[in-house]
């Protein structure tokens, strides 16, 4: 079946502009995660959802970053007033998700959105 | 705090030879460990995971990993490397009490013909 999709694949914006990054998870997956990956580094957690509920946003670097998943499927990560330091690969992942307790599910990643802030 | 370390930035191996990509972890409680591979211009692909049970875990593309509790390691292995295995490999651990993954810095594997 279809995997996780993200759009756009590449986004170039000017400093100060707002950007919205979209993630469409694998159909039926309850959990959705956002990570950010700087060049030469591993992905770092930003936030995650179970259904439409944001469970953990401890990785969002500041209040310019926000995410939503209003219908429990597609999610949008929004960065307001972008800065050059926001340039990175933004990765989305989804997993089946289990009700309650700690999930051992595999997270499946999308292709990522490469954000460049000029 | 949970963490993983990948001590080698790059591993070079000749095609047909066995390969090992190292990973050590630090967690409180039982570790849930994962390996992912990243090919150029593509997303992270899941290779294998250790949750519990047999210390030798088999995964995709002929890869396997050995969980060693006493050495707190989870090294990725393959008996015979292919040129097409050349990629960036990430080890990750599930955060205890949460669902996020904590990744290492990655190891670039280069397989030479």
């Amino acid at each position: 079946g279809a995997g996780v999709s993200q759009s756009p694949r590449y986004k170039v914006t000017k400093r100060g502009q707002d950007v919205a990054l979209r993630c469409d998870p694998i159909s039926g997956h309850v959990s959705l995660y956002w990570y950010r990956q700087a060049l030469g580094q591993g992905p770092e957690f930003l936030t995650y959802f179970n259904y439409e509920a944001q469970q953990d946003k401890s990785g969002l670097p500041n209040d310019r970053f926000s995410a939503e998943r209003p219908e429990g499927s597609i999610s949008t990560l929004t960065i307001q007033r972008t800065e050059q330091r926001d340039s990175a690969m933004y990765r989305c992942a989804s997993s089946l998700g289990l009700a309650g307790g700690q999930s051992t599910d595999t997270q499946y990643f999308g292709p990522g959105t490469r954000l460049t802030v000029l | 705090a949970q963490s993983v370390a990948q001590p080698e930035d790059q591993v070079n191996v000749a095609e047909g030879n066995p390969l090992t990509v190292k990973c050590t972890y630090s967690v409180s409680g039982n570790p849930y460990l994962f390996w992912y591979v990243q090919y150029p211009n593509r997303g992270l692909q899941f290779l294998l995971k250790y949750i519990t049970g047999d210390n030798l875990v088999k995964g995709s593309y002929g890869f396997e990993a050995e969980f060693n509790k006493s050495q707190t390691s989870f090294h990725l292995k393959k008996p015979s490397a292919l040129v097409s295995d050349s990629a960036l490999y990430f080890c990750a651990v599930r955060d205890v009490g949460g669902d996020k993954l904590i990744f290492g810095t990655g190891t670039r594997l280069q397989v030479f013909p």
Side-chain angles (χ1 to χ4, degrees):
Chain A
V4 177
S5 61
Q6 293 185 247
S7 61
R9 292 291 307 277
Y10 302 91
K11 178 68 176 179
V12 180
T13 190
K14 293 183 179 180
R15 183 167 52 91
Q17 297 294 306
D18 297 350
V19 295
L21 312 181
R22 172 184 163 129
C23 173
D24 197 346
I26 293 171
S27 177
H29 277 195
V30 167
S31 301
L32 184 148
Y33 307 80
W34 284 100
Y35 292 84
R36 180 169 69 172
Q37 185 176 10
L39 209 58
Q41 300 294 319
E44 292 185 340
F45 170 80
L46 294 175
T47 184
Y48 93 95
F49 296 82
N50 280 341
Y51 298 103
E52 73 282 358
Q54 192 169 20
Q55 300 292 322
D56 183 351
K57 55 181 181 179
S58 63
L60 296 177
N62 52 60
D63 60 8
R64 294 187 297 106
F65 287 73
S66 63
E68 63 175 7
R69 193 186 184 198
E71 297 179 359
S73 179
I74 292 169
S75 176
T76 302
L77 177 70
T78 301
I79 309 173
Q80 295 180 313
R81 305 181 301 282
T82 53
E83 301 177 4
Q84 287 185 330
R85 61 178 171 157
D86 298 334
S87 297
M89 176 72 82
Y90 288 82
R91 297 194 183 276
C92 175
S94 70
S95 69
L96 275 172
L98 294 176
Q102 183 177 2
S103 169
T104 57
D105 293 341
T106 298
Q107 294 181 21
Y108 296 94
F109 283 80
T113 294
R114 169 73 66 189
L115 175 65
T116 302
V117 182
L118 302 177
Chain B
Q2 282 68 237
S3 65
V4 291
Q6 295 182 244
E8 302 156 317
D9 289 337
Q10 180 153 331
V11 170
N12 299 318
V13 64
E15 188 175 31
N17 283 359
L19 68 87
T20 299
V21 182
K22 296 180 180 177
C23 173
T24 59
Y25 65 89
S26 174
V27 301
S28 54
N30 295 322
Y32 298 153
L33 296 157
F34 300 77
W35 275 102
Y36 286 84
V37 59
Q38 182 179 329
Y39 296 102
N41 299 317
R42 295 175 66 178
L44 288 166
Q45 294 183 25
F46 169 73
L47 279 179
L48 50 81
K49 66 182 178 183
Y50 173 81
I51 304 300
T52 187
D54 195 346
N55 289 342
L56 186 64
V57 179
K58 295 188 182 297
S60 306
Y61 313 120
F63 284 92
E64 58 190 25
E66 186 172 10
F67 172 69
N68 188 316
K69 189 172 183 178
S70 63
Q71 297 186 4
T72 62
S73 67
F74 189 56
H75 300 332
L76 182 70
K77 300 181 179 183
K78 187 174 183 181
S80 178
L82 300 172
V83 172
S84 57
D85 292 331
S86 299
L88 189 56
Y89 290 80
F90 289 97
C91 180
V93 64
R94 176 86 73 182
D95 185 38
V96 174
D99 274 351
K100 66 184 178 186
L101 292 176
I102 299 167
F103 285 85
T105 52
T107 298
R108 185 163 300 281
L109 173 67
Q110 190 72 49
V111 181
F112 295 95

